Amino acid sequence: MMKAGVGLFSALALFLLIGAVFTERPRQRKPTRRPATARPSVLLPAVPEPQEPTDFPPPILGPPSIFPDCPRECLCSPSYPNSLNCENRNIRVIPVIPLRTHYLYLQNNYISEVTAEPFRNATEVRWINLANNRIHRIDKQVFEKIPALLYLYAHKNHLKEVPSGLPASLEQLRLDRNRISKIPAGTFNKLEKLTLLDLHKNQLSDSDLGMGTFKDLKSLMQLNLAHNSLKKMPSGIPSSLIQLFLDRNRIDDIPKGYFESMAHLAFVRLNYNELSDKGVPKAVFNVSTLLDLQLAHNQLTAVPLFNTHLEHLHLNHNSIESINGTQICPYSLQADQSDNSLVPRLRYLRLDGNHLSPPIPMDVIMCFRHLHSIVI
């Protein structure tokens, strides 16, 4: 019994001694910085060079067509067998155009030039839309293949001059939002059927428009030369013109009698130019056919004279300080007012952005009895 007690006591003393040794061992401090360890090298897979420019997505191919001559880049609808729809297909090169095609849609692609080869059998094409591409050149031979073309839309491209060799059949030509600074002599000589010519947002100056540039356009109804660099009114405008748009140029002078030969002129826009009273002859806008006259954002200090037939007049954002109804009234206030054919037809007058304050003078109200809206 005593031996067992001594053994138990010895074991307990040994346990306490071991515990004391462990408690006296100094505690290791945590390192303030993580020791630098070399990162294992990772081998990245080699990336192959792109086969095409990265801004040119791959062409979109359409499903098989019932028409064996339908290019895979295009869509041929059984409902419209004379239409070839190739717009928004990421096309770089124009495919071969089927003989049956009358309407060709190629807008919103990456085409850089138009050559004659795709049109070798496309003699029946009447309408081409090439808008929003990267076209910098259209071969003259293209139009020899499509002699009956009526509408050519090539706006929003990179053209630097008006294409030559345009067919005599052409009725509408849209070349706006290009980089055109040149119209070769004789470009429009044969276009007697052209009714619409849109050249706005290009780089045309006065020297690029010769005396005879437009004179052969005997059917022209709309001419848009807005957003160019013109300082003078274009010369040789055909008498058939109905709409003339010259906004956002640098025009500061209108020749006396400039509009007299334009027997059908109804709409004139000269907003955002540099016109002052000195550059506007007294009766230059007294044209009986004129319905809408826009002269906003110029340097006028007085309301120009106009005809009784004018219905809309925009004079906002000029330097006009006063308005005298007696002076600007196209007819005498003492005339027979029962004759409505003599009463001015002005319906809309905009004068805001000038140096004017309400109210509107009574003689203005008495003269323009058809006035529905006036902004001041």
Side-chain angles (χ1 to χ4, degrees), residues 234-365:
S235 59
I237 301 298
S239 61
S240 58
L241 201 70
I242 296 175
Q243 300 177 336
L244 177 61
F245 302 146
L246 291 164
D247 312 77
R248 293 188 182 273
N249 280 280
R250 292 182 291 165
I251 298 170
D252 59 4
D253 179 73
I254 302 175
K256 185 178 180 181
Y258 180 81
F259 302 106
E260 287 180 357
S261 63
M262 304 178 197
H264 306 282
L265 189 66
F267 302 89
V268 173
R269 290 200 330 225
L270 280 160
N271 303 317
Y272 291 94
N273 277 281
E274 300 176 5
L275 290 170
S276 63
D277 300 337
K278 182 180 178 180
V280 178
K282 185 176 181 180
V284 73
F285 296 119
N286 189 10
V287 180
S288 62
T289 56
L290 199 58
L291 301 177
D292 189 293
L293 176 59
Q294 300 190 20
L295 298 168
H297 293 271
N298 279 280
Q299 302 166 15
L300 301 173
T301 63
V303 178
L305 297 179
F306 51 90
N307 196 270
T308 58
H309 294 92
L310 191 71
E311 296 183 2
H312 294 83
L313 178 59
H314 297 246
L315 289 167
N316 51 294
H317 297 91
N318 277 274
S319 300
I320 301 171
E321 296 183 354
S322 63
I323 178 171
N324 187 316
T326 304
Q327 292 179 356
I328 68 172
C329 191
Y331 86 122
S332 173
L333 292 174
Q334 283 74 40
D336 182 9
Q337 298 190 18
S338 63
D339 188 353
N340 283 329
S341 64
L342 300 176
V343 177
R345 300 177 186 177
L346 191 67
R347 299 175 181 274
Y348 180 85
L349 176 60
R350 186 169 175 183
L351 290 165
D352 56 301
N354 285 280
H355 307 301
L356 297 169
S357 300
I360 303 300
M362 184 55 66
D363 52 2
V364 174
I365 305 298

